[in-house]
Amino acid sequence: MLAALPGARAVGGLVRDALAGLQLADVDVAAPWPPETIAERLREAGLRVFETGLAHGTVTAVLDHQPVEVTALRQDIATDGRHAEVAWTTDWRIDAARRDFTINAMSLDAEGRLWDYFGGREDLAARVVRFVGDPATRLSEDFLRALRFFRFHARYGGTVPDAAAVAAIAAAVPGLARLSAERVWSEIKRLLDAPDPTDALALMAATGVLGAVLPEAALVAGLDRLRRLIAASPAPDPLLRLAALVGEMPPRGLGALAGRMRMSGDERGRLSRLCGPRPEARPAPGLNDDALRRMLALLGRDDATAELLLAEAEDGRDRAADRARAAELPVPVFPLLGQDVLDLGVPEGPRIGRLYNAVRGWWFAGGCLADKDACLARLRDEVLVG
Ligand code: ATP
Ligand code: MG
């Protein structure tokens, strides 16, 4: 990409993660021309270009079937704590100065030269997330940076966070209420996606930020549950981690949380399955195969696994063996259809459902083992007696 656009540089997360030796996520490129010029030069270089984010200075080019975002260098003209009005600039340092943290403000040119105006490389090595410029000012321009701080601290920070940043964030808590729910939820998800966000969350609680954006999670018990969840299953799963943080919740509380965060329908549904009210207590360790098959039939494999993990997060009792068996056992599927009842000559009506459910209940009670023939035999018996 840099070859197709002489004068452009890789910026932001790509430079940071390359220096940190981490796997590179998306490729972000910046160039010292207005977006229209960027689009023109990319087309001249023979690339396909989409002008999707032109107003923000971003065009998307497709290189080897991979979308690459190329953004014009920007300068903030006006900020109000949520949005910025920007102008294009040709000055790399000015563009770097409007970025949030020193580790995010580096760029890398086509010759492999690192442009590091604010000591980002040193901070990355020292594991310090430091604001570019005065933390209080940078927060007042965009309060979302308070949440971004914890996200980057969780990934790149060490044990001692930058004291100036923490103090300024604690003082900026009232400004968080002005952020849009979408931006808040998106940052929280990205924080929960870090390998281990627990220390960052504890710091978030201590500064009052967690209480302001996610009061449901601001209890010590939630952090303990999250620690145990991560010990049992380190693979990041933001929604499962949120469920561990908030613990079991009544439907009204869940609805309020999901509504406030503007969660998608899928997210809402999964969260309420994970931590909504349940008919039975969470399972104790050492389930037998019948009980495990019932769980699998009732919840499906993903939710059954999540249920075992949340149970372990709750009481700290090891369920690794249960989870291993839940991963291996086939998910039982009740072998009859409504048509099977009709085929026996039962007329349409509520009796169909009653018979079907009676056999399903019998199948379930037996550990979901009966095959289709056995279920049909049972159905014939039910038809005779019922
Ligand atoms: P990730 O790999 O998690 O996406 P990233 O560094 O790419 O990390 P993004 O949120 O994608 O993070 O932002 C890209 C870059 O844009 C950041 O590295 C930073 O330089 C800049 N940036 C993004 N949001 C802000 C903000 N609110 N204030 C200042 N700079 C920002
Ligand atoms: Mg990114």
Short mmCIF file of all heavy atoms in Angstrom, two decimals, residues 12-13 16-17 25-26 28 98-100 104-105 138 142 144-145 148 151-152 155 183 187 190, ligand 1:
data_model
loop_
_atom_site.label_atom_id
_atom_site.label_comp_id
_atom_site.label_asym_id
_atom_site.label_seq_id
_atom_site.Cartn_x
_atom_site.Cartn_y
_atom_site.Cartn_z
N GLY A 12 -0.97 4.68 13.83
CA GLY A 12 -1.85 4.20 14.90
C GLY A 12 -1.52 2.78 15.36
O GLY A 12 -0.37 2.43 15.57
N GLY A 13 -2.58 1.99 15.49
CA GLY A 13 -2.46 0.66 16.07
C GLY A 13 -1.48 -0.25 15.36
O GLY A 13 -0.81 -1.07 15.99
N ARG A 16 2.08 0.58 16.55
CA ARG A 16 2.18 0.16 17.95
C ARG A 16 2.30 -1.36 18.06
O ARG A 16 3.20 -1.88 18.73
CB ARG A 16 0.92 0.66 18.68
CG ARG A 16 0.82 0.28 20.13
CD ARG A 16 -0.62 0.45 20.60
NE ARG A 16 -1.48 -0.52 19.93
CZ ARG A 16 -2.71 -0.25 19.48
NH1 ARG A 16 -3.24 0.94 19.63
NH2 ARG A 16 -3.41 -1.19 18.88
N ASP A 17 1.41 -2.08 17.37
CA ASP A 17 1.41 -3.53 17.51
C ASP A 17 2.62 -4.17 16.83
O ASP A 17 3.11 -5.20 17.28
CB ASP A 17 0.09 -4.11 16.98
CG ASP A 17 -1.07 -3.78 17.91
OD1 ASP A 17 -0.81 -3.29 19.03
OD2 ASP A 17 -2.23 -4.02 17.54
N ALA A 25 -3.79 -6.24 13.49
CA ALA A 25 -5.22 -6.30 13.17
C ALA A 25 -5.47 -5.56 11.86
O ALA A 25 -5.04 -6.03 10.81
CB ALA A 25 -6.03 -5.70 14.31
N ASP A 26 -6.07 -4.39 11.92
CA ASP A 26 -6.33 -3.71 10.66
C ASP A 26 -5.18 -2.76 10.28
O ASP A 26 -4.43 -2.30 11.11
CB ASP A 26 -7.67 -2.94 10.70
CG ASP A 26 -7.95 -2.37 12.07
OD1 ASP A 26 -6.98 -1.99 12.76
OD2 ASP A 26 -9.12 -2.34 12.46
N ASP A 28 -3.96 0.67 9.07
CA ASP A 28 -4.36 2.07 8.96
C ASP A 28 -3.22 2.86 8.35
O ASP A 28 -2.09 2.78 8.80
CB ASP A 28 -4.71 2.65 10.33
CG ASP A 28 -6.07 2.19 10.81
OD1 ASP A 28 -6.97 2.09 9.97
OD2 ASP A 28 -6.21 1.90 12.02
N ARG A 98 -3.11 15.10 17.76
CA ARG A 98 -4.54 14.96 18.08
C ARG A 98 -4.90 13.51 18.43
O ARG A 98 -6.02 13.22 18.82
CB ARG A 98 -5.41 15.47 16.93
CG ARG A 98 -5.54 14.53 15.77
CD ARG A 98 -6.41 15.10 14.68
NE ARG A 98 -7.84 15.00 14.97
CZ ARG A 98 -8.55 13.89 14.81
NH1 ARG A 98 -7.99 12.78 14.37
NH2 ARG A 98 -9.83 13.88 15.06
N ARG A 99 -3.95 12.61 18.29
CA ARG A 99 -4.20 11.22 18.69
C ARG A 99 -4.17 11.10 20.21
O ARG A 99 -3.60 11.95 20.88
CB ARG A 99 -3.19 10.29 18.01
CG ARG A 99 -3.40 10.30 16.50
CD ARG A 99 -2.40 9.48 15.74
NE ARG A 99 -2.64 9.61 14.31
CZ ARG A 99 -3.46 8.83 13.61
NH1 ARG A 99 -4.08 7.82 14.19
NH2 ARG A 99 -3.64 9.03 12.32
N ASP A 100 -4.80 10.04 20.74
CA ASP A 100 -5.02 10.01 22.19
C ASP A 100 -3.77 9.72 23.04
O ASP A 100 -3.46 10.46 23.96
CB ASP A 100 -6.18 9.07 22.55
CG ASP A 100 -6.13 7.74 21.80
OD1 ASP A 100 -5.11 7.45 21.16
OD2 ASP A 100 -7.13 7.00 21.87
N ASN A 104 -0.14 5.39 20.51
CA ASN A 104 -1.02 5.38 19.33
C ASN A 104 -0.66 6.49 18.35
O ASN A 104 -1.36 6.68 17.36
CB ASN A 104 -2.48 5.60 19.75
CG ASN A 104 -3.06 4.38 20.43
OD1 ASN A 104 -2.47 3.32 20.41
ND2 ASN A 104 -4.22 4.55 21.05
N ALA A 105 0.38 7.25 18.64
CA ALA A 105 0.65 8.46 17.85
C ALA A 105 1.89 8.33 16.97
O ALA A 105 2.39 9.32 16.46
CB ALA A 105 0.79 9.66 18.80
N ARG A 138 -7.08 16.85 27.01
CA ARG A 138 -7.40 15.83 26.01
C ARG A 138 -8.70 15.12 26.34
O ARG A 138 -9.45 14.73 25.46
CB ARG A 138 -6.24 14.81 25.88
CG ARG A 138 -4.88 15.42 25.53
CD ARG A 138 -4.91 16.35 24.31
NE ARG A 138 -5.61 15.87 23.14
CZ ARG A 138 -5.15 14.97 22.29
NH1 ARG A 138 -3.96 14.43 22.45
NH2 ARG A 138 -5.87 14.60 21.24
N ASP A 142 -12.60 15.04 24.26
CA ASP A 142 -13.35 13.82 23.95
C ASP A 142 -13.29 12.90 25.17
O ASP A 142 -12.27 12.28 25.44
CB ASP A 142 -12.74 13.13 22.71
CG ASP A 142 -13.51 11.87 22.33
OD1 ASP A 142 -14.52 11.55 22.99
OD2 ASP A 142 -13.09 11.19 21.37
N LEU A 144 -14.53 10.13 25.66
CA LEU A 144 -14.38 8.70 25.38
C LEU A 144 -12.94 8.24 25.67
O LEU A 144 -12.70 7.07 25.95
CB LEU A 144 -14.73 8.39 23.92
CG LEU A 144 -14.87 6.89 23.62
CD1 LEU A 144 -16.17 6.36 24.21
CD2 LEU A 144 -14.81 6.59 22.14
N ARG A 145 -12.01 9.17 25.59
CA ARG A 145 -10.61 8.81 25.85
C ARG A 145 -10.42 8.22 27.23
O ARG A 145 -9.47 7.48 27.46
CB ARG A 145 -9.72 10.04 25.63
CG ARG A 145 -9.67 10.42 24.17
CD ARG A 145 -8.95 11.73 23.91
NE ARG A 145 -9.11 12.12 22.51
CZ ARG A 145 -9.05 13.36 22.05
NH1 ARG A 145 -8.80 14.36 22.89
NH2 ARG A 145 -9.21 13.60 20.77
N ARG A 148 -11.08 4.67 26.58
CA ARG A 148 -10.00 4.15 25.74
C ARG A 148 -8.73 3.93 26.56
O ARG A 148 -8.00 2.97 26.33
CB ARG A 148 -9.73 5.10 24.56
CG ARG A 148 -10.89 5.14 23.57
CD ARG A 148 -10.65 6.14 22.46
NE ARG A 148 -9.45 5.88 21.69
CZ ARG A 148 -9.36 5.05 20.65
NH1 ARG A 148 -10.44 4.38 20.27
NH2 ARG A 148 -8.24 4.89 20.00
N ARG A 151 -8.93 0.54 28.04
CA ARG A 151 -8.77 -0.49 27.02
C ARG A 151 -7.28 -0.68 26.69
O ARG A 151 -6.79 -1.79 26.62
CB ARG A 151 -9.54 -0.10 25.76
CG ARG A 151 -9.05 -0.84 24.53
CD ARG A 151 -10.12 -1.05 23.53
NE ARG A 151 -10.44 0.09 22.72
CZ ARG A 151 -9.90 0.30 21.51
NH1 ARG A 151 -8.98 -0.53 21.05
NH2 ARG A 151 -10.28 1.33 20.81
N PHE A 152 -6.57 0.42 26.49
CA PHE A 152 -5.16 0.29 26.12
C PHE A 152 -4.30 -0.09 27.33
O PHE A 152 -3.32 -0.81 27.20
CB PHE A 152 -4.67 1.58 25.43
CG PHE A 152 -5.28 1.77 24.08
CD1 PHE A 152 -6.25 2.74 23.85
CD2 PHE A 152 -4.93 0.93 23.04
CE1 PHE A 152 -6.84 2.88 22.60
CE2 PHE A 152 -5.52 1.06 21.78
CZ PHE A 152 -6.47 2.04 21.57
N ARG A 155 -4.24 -3.81 27.67
CA ARG A 155 -3.41 -4.52 26.70
C ARG A 155 -1.93 -4.19 26.77
O ARG A 155 -1.09 -5.06 26.56
CB ARG A 155 -3.88 -4.18 25.28
CG ARG A 155 -4.93 -5.12 24.77
CD ARG A 155 -5.30 -4.74 23.35
NE ARG A 155 -6.62 -5.22 23.03
CZ ARG A 155 -6.86 -6.45 22.59
NH1 ARG A 155 -5.86 -7.28 22.39
NH2 ARG A 155 -8.09 -6.84 22.35
N ARG A 183 -20.89 4.49 21.45
CA ARG A 183 -19.43 4.60 21.62
C ARG A 183 -19.00 3.95 22.93
O ARG A 183 -17.97 3.28 22.99
CB ARG A 183 -19.00 6.07 21.60
CG ARG A 183 -19.15 6.75 20.26
CD ARG A 183 -18.65 8.18 20.33
NE ARG A 183 -17.22 8.31 20.07
CZ ARG A 183 -16.46 9.35 20.48
NH1 ARG A 183 -17.00 10.32 21.18
NH2 ARG A 183 -15.18 9.38 20.19
N GLU A 187 -16.53 0.62 23.25
CA GLU A 187 -15.27 0.63 24.00
C GLU A 187 -15.25 -0.43 25.09
O GLU A 187 -14.24 -1.09 25.32
CB GLU A 187 -15.02 2.01 24.63
CG GLU A 187 -14.42 3.05 23.71
CD GLU A 187 -13.11 2.61 23.04
OE1 GLU A 187 -12.28 1.93 23.67
OE2 GLU A 187 -12.92 2.97 21.86
N ARG A 190 -14.53 -3.72 23.63
CA ARG A 190 -13.13 -3.87 23.25
C ARG A 190 -12.24 -4.03 24.47
O ARG A 190 -11.23 -4.74 24.43
CB ARG A 190 -12.70 -2.69 22.38
CG ARG A 190 -13.36 -2.77 20.99
CD ARG A 190 -13.35 -1.46 20.27
NE ARG A 190 -12.18 -1.29 19.43
CZ ARG A 190 -12.02 -0.27 18.61
NH1 ARG A 190 -12.94 0.67 18.51
NH2 ARG A 190 -10.94 -0.17 17.87
P1 ATP B 1 -7.14 -1.54 17.85
O1 ATP B 1 -6.08 -2.45 17.33
O2 ATP B 1 -7.67 -1.97 19.17
O3 ATP B 1 -8.19 -1.17 16.84
P2 ATP B 1 -6.25 1.12 17.34
O4 ATP B 1 -5.07 1.88 17.81
O5 ATP B 1 -6.34 0.80 15.88
O6 ATP B 1 -6.35 -0.18 18.21
P3 ATP B 1 -8.72 2.54 17.00
O7 ATP B 1 -9.81 2.80 17.97
O8 ATP B 1 -9.02 1.68 15.83
O9 ATP B 1 -7.51 1.93 17.83
O10 ATP B 1 -8.16 3.96 16.53
C1 ATP B 1 -7.14 4.09 15.56
C2 ATP B 1 -6.22 5.25 15.92
O11 ATP B 1 -6.93 6.48 15.85
C3 ATP B 1 -5.66 5.18 17.34
O12 ATP B 1 -4.45 4.46 17.37
C4 ATP B 1 -5.46 6.66 17.68
O13 ATP B 1 -4.25 7.14 17.14
C5 ATP B 1 -6.59 7.34 16.93
N1 ATP B 1 -7.81 7.54 17.74
C6 ATP B 1 -8.93 6.79 17.72
N2 ATP B 1 -9.87 7.26 18.54
C7 ATP B 1 -9.37 8.37 19.10
C8 ATP B 1 -9.88 9.34 20.04
N3 ATP B 1 -11.09 9.23 20.58
N4 ATP B 1 -9.06 10.38 20.35
C9 ATP B 1 -7.84 10.50 19.81
N5 ATP B 1 -7.31 9.63 18.95
C10 ATP B 1 -8.05 8.57 18.58
#
